[in-house]
């Protein structure tokens, strides 16, 4: 787990217009932050800068107080959960979840990998599907495989990019409570991008509202709800 600090973060793409404009947020260790706002407000850009997939034009990004602006994604120990799952179609569910552990071969024995993957699968109700391939899974199951991969990595923080946007309403509700329970149990620092108000108001410790790249407000769901 880690604290993530954004100080006066700016992102300008080639057209020079700031997609993210002077955003400062202190994300506490173990906190679940929602980034919400309409399409084009800069949510994904902000997330991609945190994970290191996009350069920061100016400002400081710190993880546990240490500046990481120039660190490669692999050196930030953050796990990203995408809406398109990014699963390997030729690998089984087990191997998809185990994948980040195998990249760390020096650290994990086969036995440890088996235990970590089995435990994650149990928590995500994927035990019966470990031998299947992603192509044979439903959208919700694929989503859970993607979450399993983030869980086994024991990352310092989870970054979610609209992870539920491809699911139908029922599954979305299920996954929402699953994510919320997981967050309560694990207390992993999370940054969660969505344009869905319900997700914003039910999942987060705090909600950061972006508009045209500018941070409009940041408050707990209760505080936002009670505002006129
Ligand atoms: P959101 O995730 O809230 O929909 P984005 O972060 O994707 O918003 O986009 C914010 C702004 O930056 C938009 O105006 C978008 O057109 C622009 N933008 C995003 N990605 C690029 C890019 N690779 N090159 C140029 N402009 C981009
Ligand atoms: P590969 O995934 O084939 O090793 P990449 O260049 O895609 O090569 O990624 C290198 C490392 O960077 C990955 O092992 C991973 O730790 C990290 N990484 C890449 N993309 C992401 C992402 N979206 N979220 C978190 N970490 C990432």
């Amino acid at each position: 787990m880690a604290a993530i600090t954004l100080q006066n973060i700016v992102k300008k793409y080639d057209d020079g217009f700031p997609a993210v404009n002077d955003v400062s947020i202190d994300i506490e260790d173990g906190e679940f932050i929602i980034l919400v706002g309409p399409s084009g407000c800069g949510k994904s850009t902000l997330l991609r800068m945190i994970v290191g997939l996009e350069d920061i034009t100016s400002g400081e990004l710190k993880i546990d107080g240490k500046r990481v602006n120039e660190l490669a994604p692999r050196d930030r120990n953050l796990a990203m959960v995408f809406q398109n799952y990014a699963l390997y179609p030729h690998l089984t569910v087990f191997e998809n979840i185990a994948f980040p552990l195998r990249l760390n071969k020096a650290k994990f024995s086969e036995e440890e990998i088996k235990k970590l993957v089995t435990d994650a699968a149990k928590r995500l109700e994927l035990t019966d599907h470990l031998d299947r391939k992603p192509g044979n899974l439903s959208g919700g199951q694929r989503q859970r495989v993607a979450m399993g991969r983030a869980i086994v990595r024991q990352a310092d923080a989870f970054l979610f990019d609209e992870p539920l946007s491809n699911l139908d309403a029922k599954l979305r509700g299920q996954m929402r409570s699953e994510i919320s329970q997981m967050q309560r149990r694990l207390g992993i620092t999370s940054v969660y991008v969505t344009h869905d108000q319900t997700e914003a108001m039910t999942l987060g410790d705090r909600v950061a509202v972006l508009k045209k790249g500018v941070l409009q407000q940041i408050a707990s769901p209760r505080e936002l709800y009670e505002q006129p």
Side-chain angles (χ1 to χ4, degrees), residues 6 9 11 13 19-20 23 34-56 61 76 80-83 159-163 165 191-195 208 210-214:
L6 313 177
I9 297 287
K11 174 68 183 184
Y13 288 109
V20 170
V23 167
I34 306 273
L35 299 179
V36 73
S39 180
C41 72
K43 307 183 292 292
S44 326
T45 298
L46 198 49
L47 203 69
R48 290 167 61 79
M49 285 192 285
I50 295 174
V51 80
L53 298 173
E54 199 74 72
D55 289 339
I56 297 169
L61 173 66
R76 297 187 188 192
M80 185 112 162
V81 182
F82 294 99
Q83 62 175 291
L159 305 175
F160 296 91
D161 193 1
E162 307 225 15
S165 60
V191 184
Y192 187 108
V193 161
T194 184
H195 61 265
L210 286 172
K211 193 175 171 191
K212 294 183 180 164
V214 176

Side-chain angles (χ1 to χ4, degrees), residues 106-130:
K107 254 164 69 185
F108 299 99
S109 67
E110 268 317 300
E111 207 173 317
E112 285 168 324
I113 289 178
K114 181 142 198 239
K115 182 171 182 344
L116 286 166
V117 173
T118 310
D119 286 352
K122 203 187 260 175
R123 273 151 71 191
L124 296 165
E125 293 182 32
L126 286 170
T127 306
D128 295 338
H129 306 295
L130 285 172

Side-chain angles (χ1 to χ4, degrees), residues 59-168:
E60 298 248 317
L61 173 66
K62 295 179 179 172
I63 298 179
D64 280 341
K66 181 173 154 265
R67 180 184 153 101
V68 299
N69 287 47
E70 285 80 26
L71 266 194
R74 76 182 76 88
D75 297 324
R76 297 187 188 192
N77 196 29
L78 308 173
M80 185 112 162
V81 182
F82 294 99
Q83 62 175 291
N84 58 6
Y85 319 122
L87 302 179
Y88 296 98
H90 59 290
L91 297 180
T92 62
V93 168
F94 183 99
E95 287 304 327
N96 264 286
I97 297 177
F99 194 81
L101 300 175
R102 297 215 186 279
L103 291 179
N104 268 312
K105 214 177 256 163
K107 254 164 69 185
F108 299 99
S109 67
E110 268 317 300
E111 207 173 317
E112 285 168 324
I113 289 178
K114 181 142 198 239
K115 182 171 182 344
L116 286 166
V117 173
T118 310
D119 286 352
K122 203 187 260 175
R123 273 151 71 191
L124 296 165
E125 293 182 32
L126 286 170
T127 306
D128 295 338
H129 306 295
L130 285 172
D131 295 330
R132 297 171 69 186
K133 298 208 170 141
N136 304 324
L137 300 176
S138 71
Q141 288 165 339
R142 274 182 230 166
Q143 179 62 62
R144 280 183 267 155
V145 177
M147 306 251 313
R149 195 191 266 172
I151 289 176
V152 294
R153 269 187 63 186
Q154 298 171 301
D156 286 334
F158 286 178
L159 305 175
F160 296 91
D161 193 1
E162 307 225 15
L164 308 186
S165 60
N166 290 340
L167 309 181
D168 64 42

